[in-house]
């Protein structure tokens, strides 16, 4: 019995993505649903956030994000979007997409220094009304050759999902 438990523990340890030494997988420590989405020809394993509380929390307090992982923010309808980096520890790229899935613009976002008052935080804006925003590690879009005009493809399980 002891060897069966040890084998199960070893399997769990070997199959988890812990990132850099000591870092926990952001997908393991948070309870947002995860789906594989496509941006252009590139796949992203994305946490899906469509409720106000989940969108507000975003990637706060995370010290690591895997290479092809991210967070897809889904809104109820197209609207001008503005993001900030409150309590966000790692630099991120954000891609804004229209309701048709076309990539409108990409912005690199840097963490604000600790203790920055909310009124002094930088905001990062969509170039036009957007319905989706995808946060990934800074440099992800450029490193993978994904540019303005690329198309966001969602799996059937979330294709008709609208934010609250």
């Amino acid at each position: 019995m002891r060897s069966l438990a040890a084998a199960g523990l070893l399997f769990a340890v070997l199959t988890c993505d812990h990132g850099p030494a000591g870092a926990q997988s952001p997908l393991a420590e948070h309870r947002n649903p995860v789906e594989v989405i496509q941006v252009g020809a590139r796949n992203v394993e994305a946490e899906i956030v469509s409720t106000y509380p989940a969108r507000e929390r975003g990637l706060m307090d995370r010290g690591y994000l895997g290479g092809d992982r991210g967070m897809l923010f889904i809104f109820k309808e197209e609207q001008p979007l503005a993001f900030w980096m409150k309590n966000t520890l790692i630099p991120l790229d954000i891609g804004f997409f229209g309701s048709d899935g076309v990539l409108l613009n990409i912005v690199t976002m840097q963490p604000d220094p600790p203790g920055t008052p909310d009124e002094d935080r930088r905001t990062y804006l969509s170039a036009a009304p957007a319905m989706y925003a995808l946060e990934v590690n800074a440099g992800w879009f450029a490193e993978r050759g994904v540019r303005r005009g690329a198309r966001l493809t969602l799996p059937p399980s979330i294709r008709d999902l609208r934010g609250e």
Side-chain angles (χ1 to χ4, degrees):
M1 185 70 153
R2 191 178 279 166
S3 63
L4 183 59
L9 178 61
L10 180 61
F11 177 78
V13 168
L14 292 176
T15 58
C16 287
D17 175 12
H18 294 287
Q24 284 189 327
S25 167
L27 299 181
E29 65 188 54
H30 298 277
R31 302 278 185 238
N32 300 312
V34 176
E35 295 282 350
V36 175
I37 63 172
Q38 194 171 36
V39 181
R42 303 299 181 157
N43 288 339
V44 178
E45 190 175 345
E47 290 182 59
I48 308 302
V49 292
S50 60
T51 65
Y52 181 80
R55 288 192 309 256
E56 184 177 45
R57 186 175 49 257
L59 290 171
M60 286 183 177
D61 300 314
R62 305 216 196 166
Y64 170 75
L65 185 62
D68 284 317
R69 294 189 174 171
M71 181 172 279
L72 181 66
F73 297 78
I74 301 176
F75 294 85
K76 186 174 185 175
E77 57 193 21
E78 283 189 334
Q79 58 190 290
L81 297 180
F83 280 66
W84 63 356
M85 295 285 282
K86 183 174 184 174
N87 299 327
T88 305
L89 308 174
I90 55 176
L92 298 169
D93 276 356
I94 188 166
F96 295 101
F97 299 83
S99 60
D100 59 0
V102 173
L103 179 56
L104 303 169
N105 65 306
I106 302 161
V107 180
T108 299
M109 306 185 297
Q110 296 297 327
D112 289 315
T116 300
D118 288 350
E119 62 272 9
D120 293 338
R121 293 186 185 281
R122 292 171 285 193
T123 55
Y124 303 91
L125 308 174
S126 60
M131 188 164 174
Y132 305 99
L134 175 64
E135 289 183 344
V136 290
N137 285 307
W140 186 91
F141 288 97
E143 291 164 8
R144 286 155 183 80
V146 177
R147 294 180 172 78
R148 188 172 178 262
R151 184 162 301 277
L152 173 68
T153 305
L154 303 177
S157 57
I158 62 170
R159 195 168 292 144
D160 296 323
L161 182 64
R162 296 295 175 258
E164 296 176 0

